[in-house]
Amino acid sequence: MQTMEQPFLLYDDTYELIYSRLVMANLDPHISFRVIEVHPLRMSYLCEVQSKDTTWWQWVSLHRGNSRKMYTKPKVRHKKVPALT
C-alpha cells in the first residue's frame, strides 16, 4: 500500500462527515484519524484511526448509497411468472 507523498487537505464538511461516520461505526467519540488513501470512483477514504492505545485502518465511504443511516432497501417488483400454455 502506498501512502501519499504530499499532504492531503480535506474540506471542513468532508472532515466532519468522515469523523461522524467513524464515530457511528465505532461508537467512540474520542478518536483521531488521518486520511492515507483516496479512492475517487468509490468516494471512499482509507483512514488510520487511533483510539486510546489502539490503531487500525478503516475505509470510510461518503457515497450516499453506502451510508448506514440513510440507506433503505429498494422495493423490487418481480415480473409475473409466464403462464405455461
Side-chain angles (χ1 to χ4, degrees):
M1 179 171 64
Q2 277 186 326
T3 57
M4 297 189 310
E5 301 289 329
Q6 302 170 347
F8 181 73
L9 298 176
L10 292 172
Y11 292 110
D12 288 340
D13 55 346
T14 308
Y15 180 87
E16 291 171 6
L17 191 56
I18 291 174
Y19 177 76
S20 66
R21 295 280 167 92
L22 285 171
V23 169
M24 279 194 308
N26 302 302
L27 300 175
D28 183 10
H30 306 293
I31 57 174
S32 62
F33 71 94
R34 67 185 182 108
V35 175
I36 298 174
E37 190 178 326
V38 179
H39 196 292
L41 292 177
R42 292 191 309 179
M43 290 179 61
S44 58
Y45 298 84
L46 180 62
C47 299
E48 181 183 48
V49 187
Q50 292 181 342
S51 172
K52 296 175 186 163
D53 56 349
T54 58
T55 303
W56 68 92
W57 293 267
Q58 183 172 347
W59 281 100
V60 177
S61 177
L62 298 186
H63 195 269
R64 234 178 130 183
N66 296 335
S67 167
R68 293 177 62 215
K69 298 289 181 183
M70 294 184 200
Y71 182 71
T72 56
K73 189 173 181 181
K75 294 180 181 176
V76 179
R77 292 184 180 176
H78 296 285
K79 293 184 178 180
K80 293 181 181 178
V81 179
L84 298 174
T85 54

